[in-house]
Amino acid sequence: MKTPFLVLIGNVILWAIVAQLNHYLSTWDVSVFAGGLCVAFASLRLPPREGYRALLLTGLWFDAAAPVPFGLHALLFLFAHAVINAFRTRLARDDTLVGLLVAAIANLGLIVALTGGLLHRNPALWELWPRLSVDSLISFCAVILIGPWYFAMQERLLAFFGTFLRHETRSSFHH
C-alpha cells in the first residue's frame, strides 16, 4: 500500500521541477507539461492496481494546482493508464526507450485532452493551435530529456524505502 504514496512523492518532485521550469519559460509565453512521464512510469512499472492508486493521487495533486475542473487530471491519468495497460503485455516494460516512447505519446494525448476539456473557455480552436503546437514540442523535448532521470529517480525512491520493482527477465517481443 505504500508504493502509491512513494510514487506520488516522486511525481510531486517532478511536478515541482516542471512548475519551476514553467515559471522561467513564462516570459516567452510557453509552458511544459510532463504528466505523461507520471502515467508511463505507473502504467509500465507498477502492478495495475497500484498504478491506478498512484495515478489517482497524482491526478488529484495536479488538479489542486491547476485552473481546471477538479478531477480532470485524475480522470485523464486513469484513462491513459487503462489504455497503456491494454498494451502493457506487448511492451518491453523495463526498457527506458520504450518508457520514453510511451511517455511521449501519453503526454501528447494528455495535452490534447486537457486542451479539449478547456475549450469552453476559448472556443476559437484555430487560435489555440500555434500555442498548442509549440507547447507540445517543448513538452516532448522535456519528456525525452528528463525521462531517464525521472524513471531512475522513481526506482531509487522505491528501493530506498524497501519496495523493489519486479523486472522482466525477457522482453515480451520474444514470445
Side-chain angles (χ1 to χ4, degrees):
M1 185 61 188
K2 69 180 178 179
T3 302
F5 292 107
L6 293 173
V7 171
L8 173 65
I9 291 169
N11 290 343
V12 169
I13 291 169
L14 176 67
W15 172 85
I17 291 169
V18 170
Q20 191 63 38
L21 178 61
N22 282 332
H23 173 74
Y24 290 117
L25 291 175
S26 66
T27 58
W28 292 293
D29 287 331
V30 295
S31 63
V32 170
F33 179 77
L37 282 170
C38 301
V39 172
F41 181 83
S43 298
L44 294 174
R45 307 279 171 94
L46 299 179
R49 189 171 296 211
E50 287 185 352
Y52 277 114
R53 289 179 183 139
L55 289 173
L56 176 64
L57 295 172
T58 300
L60 294 175
W61 182 277
F62 276 54
D63 285 330
V68 299
F70 193 72
L72 184 60
H73 282 98
L75 178 70
L76 293 175
F77 285 4
L78 293 175
F79 178 75
H81 180 65
V83 170
I84 293 168
N85 270 294
F87 298 100
R88 176 182 164 125
T89 58
R90 296 183 187 117
L91 300 172
R93 298 184 341 219
D94 295 329
D95 188 355
T96 301
L97 187 58
V98 170
L100 290 175
L101 181 62
V102 170
I105 292 168
N107 206 59
L108 179 60
L110 289 167
I111 289 171
V112 170
L114 284 165
T115 302
L118 299 174
L119 274 180
H120 66 280
R121 294 184 183 171
N122 184 3
L125 184 59
W126 59 89
E127 293 175 9
L128 297 176
W129 283 111
R131 169 75 189 259
L132 182 62
S133 299
V134 170
D135 285 356
S136 297
L137 180 62
I138 292 172
S139 295
F140 173 81
C141 293
V143 164
I144 297 301
L145 288 174
I146 64 176
W149 167 82
Y150 169 76
F151 289 144
M153 186 255 321
Q154 282 286 36
E155 288 183 3
R156 303 255 178 348
L157 179 66
L158 290 170
F160 181 78
F161 286 99
T163 303
F164 296 94
L165 300 175
R166 286 179 273 138
H167 291 282
E168 301 285 314
T169 56
R170 63 184 171 83
S171 170
S172 55
F173 292 118
H174 297 93
H175 277 67

